[in-house]
Amino acid sequence: MSLTPVPRSPRLGLAAPRAGSPTISPVVVLNVGGQFYTTTVGTLRKLPGSKLAEMFSSSAKTCMDSEGRFFIDRPGIYFGPILDFLRSGQLPTQHIPEVYREAQFYEIKPLVKLLEDTPKIFGEQVARKQFLLRVPSYSENLELMVRLARAEAMAARSSSVLVCAVHKEQDAVHCVDTLRTLEANKTSVVKFGPWKAAPDIRDLLDCVKMDIEAQGYQVAYESYSYRGKAANYFYTFLFTWW
């Protein structure tokens, strides 16, 4: 990765042109989200069909910043690993999910494929997300939990949401009476499952916690204080606000 202070003199973000040089100089200066990189047109065009190659094709309309540098409105900190891969095939060792997202945006397909084979991306894309796709209404239930927690947050340090999670169809039978009682007491319950996948209830609860925390909330869960055959299926998620 090359973070290079850029002099103000060359116009259009290019190296000083020579007589008879093409419109786009072989050496270019990029402003990617406020971070500056110096590279060559050949590097940017290394993968035909990628969005970067398209951006710097001879017919492309380029966007310039106020100093005349080529401007790309993306997170600059993650562009360095993209550039390193184009230069030398080097794979990133840090910020893997963020670089993966940028590689998808720039359509750097070889890098996307290599990153998908890393444990972190493989585990998230192939294992965890594929599991959650088999949990009915998972995303909708997350949104409902957040709405319920926020509704109870007025003038309070924390608020709680009651969750019922059942892995198998036969588990749901144990929860029927408890759900009726809670409904009669006007207690809101967010119900997950059943689902057809190997991960169990604790795995599902960990996923819920992880995805809610990814939205910026501070949350923890514990078993719901209840006695009876439904005790293993009810959990309280506690949102802490301050």
Side-chain angles (χ1 to χ4, degrees):
M1 181 173 70
S2 175
L3 294 174
T4 307
V6 181
R8 298 169 64 96
S9 54
R11 299 186 62 190
L12 299 180
L14 311 177
R18 298 177 181 177
S21 64
T23 303
I24 298 182
S25 168
V27 177
V28 294
V29 177
L30 307 179
N31 176 351
V32 186
Q35 296 204 28
F36 307 127
Y37 296 87
T38 302
T39 187
T40 67
V41 173
T43 296
L44 297 170
R45 292 177 178 171
K46 190 170 185 178
L47 293 177
S50 70
K51 188 171 291 187
L52 271 179
E54 180 183 337
M55 286 178 182
F56 291 91
S57 67
S58 58
S59 60
K61 293 183 179 180
T62 55
C63 180
M64 303 292 181
D65 68 10
S66 60
E67 299 295 326
R69 294 168 290 228
F70 290 103
F71 179 72
I72 302 176
D73 193 15
R74 296 294 294 181
I77 189 173
Y78 308 123
F79 186 75
I82 301 289
L83 204 53
D84 285 341
F85 178 78
L86 292 174
R87 287 168 171 160
S88 61
Q90 179 179 331
L91 287 177
T93 57
Q94 296 181 324
H95 307 297
I96 302 297
E98 293 81 5
V99 176
Y100 175 68
R101 181 189 63 212
E102 294 306 296
Q104 289 178 308
F105 172 78
Y106 293 114
E107 299 177 7
I108 312 297
K109 294 180 181 179
L111 178 56
V112 169
K113 186 177 185 307
L114 288 169
L115 290 176
E116 284 177 345
D117 289 336
T118 62
K120 191 172 187 66
I121 300 300
F122 179 88
E124 175 66 18
Q125 298 294 328
V126 177
R128 197 178 84 90
K129 283 195 174 179
Q130 289 303 312
F131 158 53
L132 296 178
L133 287 174
R134 302 184 185 188
V135 180
S137 303
Y138 179 79
S139 296
E140 293 84 350
N141 282 344
L142 286 186
E143 294 177 6
L144 177 57
M145 289 179 65
V146 170
R147 289 201 304 270
L148 291 172
R150 291 174 68 94
E152 295 182 7
M154 184 65 68
R157 184 169 186 177
S158 62
S159 54
S160 61
V161 176
L162 187 58
V163 165
C164 174
V166 292
H167 184 182
K168 301 176 181 179
E169 292 284 354
Q170 55 265 38
D171 297 335
V173 176
H174 301 306
C175 302
V176 172
D177 291 341
T178 304
L179 287 170
R180 286 175 179 169
T181 300
L182 291 168
E183 182 180 355
N185 293 333
K186 298 182 178 181
T187 301
S188 298
V189 182
V190 180
K191 184 174 178 293
F192 288 87
W195 57 86
K196 295 181 180 179
D200 61 19
I201 290 174
R202 286 286 178 176
D203 296 320
L204 182 280
L205 298 174
D206 286 342
C207 286
V208 171
K209 181 178 183 292
M210 182 186 307
D211 289 332
I212 290 178
E213 287 180 335
Q215 299 181 43
Y217 296 96
Q218 183 177 341
V219 66
Y221 70 86
E222 61 185 12
S223 296
Y224 179 57
S225 180
Y226 179 79
R227 292 182 180 179
K229 54 187 178 181
N232 294 330
Y233 307 108
F234 287 84
Y235 297 83
T236 300
F237 275 76
L238 185 68
F239 290 71
T240 301
W241 303 105
W242 51 274

